[in-house]
Amino acid sequence: MRFEPYVWLAVLAVALLVQPATADDITGAEKILCTTVEATECYAEVGCSAGSPEDWNIPRFVEVDFENQLLSTTEACCERRSSSMKHLERDGDRIFIQGVEASRAYSIVIDQSSGTASSAIALERHVVAAFAYCTPIETTD
């Protein structure tokens, strides 16, 4: 799978345009809730277009369960979906999540102190980038 250089440049340009917003410190949280605020879709020969997450069937809210290594939509979502993390790594202030689901590879980077998240979903000659803000979910034991 090879992506044209302009596709990566467009995704990077969109990432640089996103302004910091208020999110929560999620350091040490077992579960977090992320709300997707912006998404961009790129095709190798066509270029990119930005829009709301719903434009590309990206759920607005995603629960991230670090203990069970699971990503899932909330109960309020019209379509219940979940995906097991294949790789979860904490490195300094960042959390890295990767996986494969329905012939798509995904990668997520979360900044623990700011609660901001950047994600990419890759298919052959097609990528979707999404940006989110996260907050801890209180767990009851």
Side-chain angles (χ1 to χ4, degrees), residues 53-112:
E54 292 85 5
D55 292 342
W56 296 286
N57 197 26
I58 298 171
R60 186 61 78 164
F61 296 101
V62 175
E63 292 180 16
V64 181
D65 183 340
F66 295 113
E67 184 177 346
N68 296 309
Q69 295 193 8
L70 186 67
L71 303 170
S72 58
T73 57
T74 60
E75 290 185 28
C77 184
C78 57
E79 180 184 348
R80 290 290 287 166
R81 294 185 270 177
S82 65
S83 180
S84 295
M85 300 174 196
K86 303 298 184 225
H87 182 78
L88 171 64
E89 181 177 334
R90 293 176 190 261
D91 185 12
D93 195 38
R94 302 237 171 17
I95 300 171
F96 300 91
I97 300 169
Q98 295 177 315
V100 176
E101 188 76 33
S103 299
R104 296 172 176 91
Y106 66 85
S107 187
I108 303 167
V109 179
I110 304 170
D111 184 284
Q112 293 186 89

